[in-house]
Amino acid sequence: MVGIDSSHLLRDKILCFTSRSHMNNQHRKTSSSLSLNQMKLPIPRIVAFASARGEGEAESFSRLEATFGDNTSTECTWSFDFPQSKVEVSHLQSEAHLSGSNGDNNVASVIEKLNALRSHLLAAEKWNSSQLHLCDSKYLECATNLVHYMALRSLDIEQLNNHLASLGLSSLDNNNLDVLARLNASINLLMNDQNAVTESWTNAYPKGKSTKKKDKGRVLSYKESLLGKLREGRSTHIMVTVGEEATLGETFITDILKAGTSIIRINCAHGDPSIWGEIIKRVRRTSQMLEMPCRVHMDLAGPKLRTGTLKPGPCVMKVSPKKDAYGNIVSPAVVWLCLTGTEPPTHIFPDATISVQDQNFLAGLQIGDSIKLFDARGRKRRLKISKEFPVFSSTGFVAECFDTAYIESGTELSAKGKKGRRLVGRVVDVPPKESFVRLKVGDLLVIPREGSLDEPSVTVPGAHRLTCPSGYLFDSVKPGETIGFDDGKVWGVIKGSSPSEVIVSITHAGPKGTKLGSEKSINIPQSDIRFKGLTSKDIKDLEFVASHADMVGISFIRDVHDITVLRQELKKRKLDDLGIVLKIETESGFKNMSLILLEAMKCSNPLGVMIARGDLAVECGWERLANIQEEIIAICKAARVPVIMATQVLESLVKSGVPTRAEITDASNAKRASCVMLNKGKNIVEAVSMLDTILHTKLIYKKPDSENLH
C-alpha cells in the first residue's frame, strides 16, 4: 500500500490513485525493501460517485479527470507498504486547512475530506465490481468490505483520525468489519450537528451498539461454519496436532478433548491413510462419547522442500536411573510395564514404557516380584515390581530399575510367579531410534538427490549427507544464497550446486551442534523457486480428506493461480461443504493475500486463514514477523474470515513442561484469533489445559468507558 505523508494528507477535496508507472518509479526511489512488503490490487481509473453533499456524478468525475490529467494510465493499482516505508504522493492544495482554530471551518473541512474518502472507497468497489460479482453470494458482502478496507489502507489517514479524535469521534480504522458504514456514520454525525460534535458517540449515534452486535453476529456465523460451535463459556477454539502417538494409547484423545481441544489437526506430510483413518475413528468415537464436539482438520503437504528420510536407527531404548554428580544412584528409573498400547495412569510419569503381548505373563505378576532380563549388551539386569494398576481389561505395573539397561524388541523377561511357576514374556514394539546428523558451524553438508544417499561424495569427502526428494531444490538454487533447515534452527550458505547435489556451508547452529533429521523443512528465502500449487500427492490425499475430514489446510499458498487450481479440484469432486484453510507461510502469499481471499470467495466453502509462523518467519525474517502477523489479522478481520494462529504457541511447555514468560504473553495475545494451534509434544495435555485457562480467563481490570474518554 502506498502511504501518503501525513503533511499532505487529504489537503484537497479529491482523492486519487497515481498511475502504475509513477508508483513504480516512486518505489524505486525509496528503498529496495519495498518490493518485499508490497501488496497490490489492480484498479482501473476511478469514476467518482456523488458526494454526501449532493455533488453530481458528472461534476465529481470532471474533478477527478482534472486531477489525473491526460497522461494517466488506464490501469492503476493500490498497494500496501509497512508504515516505515511511506511514499509521498502529491495532492492538490486544499482551500481549507485543518490547522485553523475556527471550529466550524475545521468541521467543514473534515466533512469534505470524509466525502472525498467515501468517493475513493466507492470507486474502488465499482471498478472491482466484475470480480466482486463472481464471489459466492454468502461472501459478496465480505469481499466488498475487503475492497473498501484495502482502498482505505492505500492512504495514510493518521492525521485525519487525529482530527476525528479531537472532535470526539472514533478512528476510521477502529472497526474493520464495516468500513463504509463507519465512514458514513462519521459523515452523518458531523453534518447533522456541527455545533455538538463533542457529544459522545453513544449518545449522538445510538444505533452504534446494535450495529456492533450485528457485526459480531456475522463474524460468528463465518467462524462457526468453518470451526464449529464453541463450547459453553469459550470464545476461542484450540487446535492440536496429533500423529501416530494418538493410536498407541486408549486415553490420549480423551485427555486432550477434556483439557479443552475442539479441533484435531493431522499433517498429511507425515503418516499414511491407515494411520489417519485410525486417528479420525478414535476422535469421532471419543467426541460422541464425551458429548464434546470436535472437528478434524487435515493439512495437505504442499510443495514444501523437506529433508529426505534417513534410515531408522536400532529398535532399542535406554533405561537409566538418576545419578548425582559423582555417579551415585539417587533414585531408580521408573518403568511402566503393560500390554501393547496401554497408557499409565495420568499421575504416573515413567522414564520408559516396556510393552509385552503375553497377557498370561502380566497376570502372574504381583507387587514385590523381580523380573530378570539380559539387555542388548548381554548384561544381566533386574526390574522390581513396586505398584499395580488395573487398566481396562488388563493390569499394568510400575517397576524400578537400579542399573542402566538397553532394552530392545525381543528381549526375554522372566520371573517367578505364583506357586513357583516360571513366567516368560517378550518385549515388543520398541520404537527405532531417530536418525539424524549433528551440524556445527563450519561443517559442510552435501544434499544429494534422493536415492543417492549411499553413494560416497567425490567432491566433498567426509561431509555430512542428507537427501532432498524435491527436484526444485537442485534446479533453482545458486551459490551464495542462504538456506535454512528445520524452521530456521540451522542456517547455511550454498557453496556449490549441480543437477545431482548441493553443497552447503553451515553458518548458524547450536553451541554443541544442532540435530537435523528426516522430513525437516528447507527454506531458501532468496531463491525464486517456481512451485506448482497442488502437488500430485496433494490431489491424491484430497480424496481421503474429502471423505473423512471437516476442513482441509492448503499449504504454501502463493498467488491466485493456486486458488484457481484448488477451486477446480473442489468443483470436480463437488466438495461444497468442505472447510478451506489457506495457510499463509510465504512472502508471496502475504503480498497477494487480498487477491487470494477474493479468489477463494468465489466458491461457497467455509473459509479461513492460518498464520503459519514457522515458515513465515524464515521466509520473511524474524524481525518482520510481528508486523506481518498484525497485517494478516487486520485483512482477515475486514474480510470477516476466521484466523488460526499457529506454530510455537507454548512450545517450551509442550516440549519440556515449563513455559517461558514470553510464551504466556504470546498465548494471551492470541485471543484475537478465532483458533490457536498447538504442535504435538510429550506435555501436550498440560499445554492444552493451560492455553484454555489463558484464553478464557476474564480480564481483571475494567475496560475504560468511551464516554469518559471524550
Side-chain angles (χ1 to χ4, degrees), residues 449 474-475 497-501:
R449 285 184 181 267
F474 306 93
D475 298 336
S497 63
S498 71
S500 60
E501 67 180 22

Side-chain angles (χ1 to χ4, degrees), residues 335-337 361-362 364-371 382-389 395-402 415:
V335 177
W336 173 247
L337 184 64
F361 173 75
L362 294 175
L365 297 176
Q366 57 187 351
I367 296 176
D369 285 350
S370 290
I371 300 175
R382 183 171 63 91
L383 304 175
K384 186 174 181 180
I385 304 296
S386 60
K387 295 178 183 178
E388 178 181 353
F389 295 94
T395 302
F397 297 91
V398 172
E400 297 176 343
C401 182
F402 291 86

Side-chain angles (χ1 to χ4, degrees), residues 12-278:
D12 199 78
K13 305 171 185 178
I14 303 298
L15 295 175
C16 65
F17 293 103
T18 51
S19 68
R20 181 191 298 272
S21 59
H22 174 68
M23 188 174 295
N24 289 339
N25 290 335
Q26 291 283 3
H27 273 258
R28 284 193 289 270
K29 291 178 182 178
T30 52
S31 68
S32 59
S33 63
L34 293 180
S35 61
L36 298 178
N37 307 332
Q38 194 178 38
M39 187 189 319
K40 295 182 177 180
L41 191 62
I43 303 178
R45 295 175 65 183
I46 296 177
V47 175
F49 286 69
S51 69
R53 296 184 304 155
E55 182 180 23
E57 180 175 339
E59 181 182 354
S60 180
F61 177 73
S62 64
R63 294 171 66 191
L64 284 174
E65 284 288 304
T67 303
F68 278 109
D70 297 333
N71 297 325
T72 304
S73 168
T74 57
E75 184 181 19
C76 302
T77 64
W78 79 60
S79 60
F80 168 77
D81 290 318
F82 288 125
Q84 65 265 28
S85 302
K86 301 293 183 185
V87 181
E88 293 188 8
V89 180
S90 59
H91 289 271
L92 297 177
Q93 295 298 317
S94 175
E95 297 173 0
H97 293 276
L98 294 179
S99 58
S101 59
N102 187 299
D104 291 339
N105 290 341
N106 195 354
V107 173
S109 184
V110 171
I111 291 175
E112 288 200 50
K113 282 133 187 82
L114 290 176
N115 282 327
L117 186 58
R118 181 176 180 274
S119 296
H120 180 73
L121 268 59
L122 292 174
E125 176 186 342
K126 179 172 182 178
W127 288 104
N128 282 277
S129 60
S130 59
Q131 290 297 314
L132 290 174
H133 290 154
L134 294 176
C135 293
D136 188 82
S137 57
K138 67 187 284 188
Y139 290 122
L140 179 58
E141 191 176 349
C142 302
T144 303
N145 190 63
L146 176 59
V147 170
H148 291 161
Y149 175 74
M150 296 307 295
L152 180 70
R153 291 295 303 273
S154 69
L155 302 170
D156 186 343
I157 58 171
E158 181 179 357
Q159 187 176 348
L160 178 59
N161 281 332
N162 291 338
H163 287 292
L164 289 173
S166 69
L167 296 173
L169 300 180
S170 298
S171 169
L172 290 175
D173 42 24
N174 268 2
N175 181 13
N176 299 349
L177 296 177
D178 202 332
V179 176
L180 189 59
R182 167 72 66 172
L183 182 58
N184 287 336
S186 299
I187 294 173
N188 291 336
L189 182 59
L190 292 174
M191 293 185 67
N192 286 339
D193 190 355
Q194 294 187 18
N195 296 321
V197 294
T198 56
E199 188 177 355
S200 71
W201 177 274
T202 305
N203 294 335
Y205 193 63
K207 294 183 180 180
K209 288 186 177 180
S210 62
T211 303
K212 191 173 182 180
K213 185 175 181 181
K214 182 181 178 182
D215 288 341
K216 287 185 176 180
R218 285 182 293 193
V219 172
L220 182 62
S221 66
Y222 291 117
K223 181 196 292 189
E224 288 185 351
S225 66
L226 177 72
L227 305 173
K229 287 190 175 182
L230 288 158
R231 297 177 190 174
E232 186 176 354
R234 302 294 191 269
S235 59
T236 307
H237 287 276
I238 296 177
M239 177 187 293
V240 173
T241 303
V242 302
E244 189 174 3
E245 73 280 356
T247 66
L248 302 179
E250 294 295 329
T251 64
F252 178 78
I253 298 296
T254 300
D255 292 341
I256 61 174
L257 260 60
K258 286 183 176 179
T261 303
S262 55
I263 303 172
I264 294 294
R265 172 181 175 262
I266 298 172
N267 190 350
C268 293
H270 309 289
D272 55 62
S274 62
I275 296 175
W276 307 336
E278 179 62 24

Side-chain angles (χ1 to χ4, degrees), residues 244-252 282 336-344 353-357 362 391-392 394 428-429:
E244 189 174 3
E245 73 280 356
T247 66
L248 302 179
E250 294 295 329
T251 64
F252 178 78
R282 294 187 180 214
W336 173 247
L337 184 64
C338 61
L339 284 178
T340 302
T342 305
E343 292 185 349
T353 297
I354 296 179
S355 301
V356 297
Q357 283 185 330
L362 294 175
V391 183
F392 297 105
S394 179
V428 296
D429 296 338

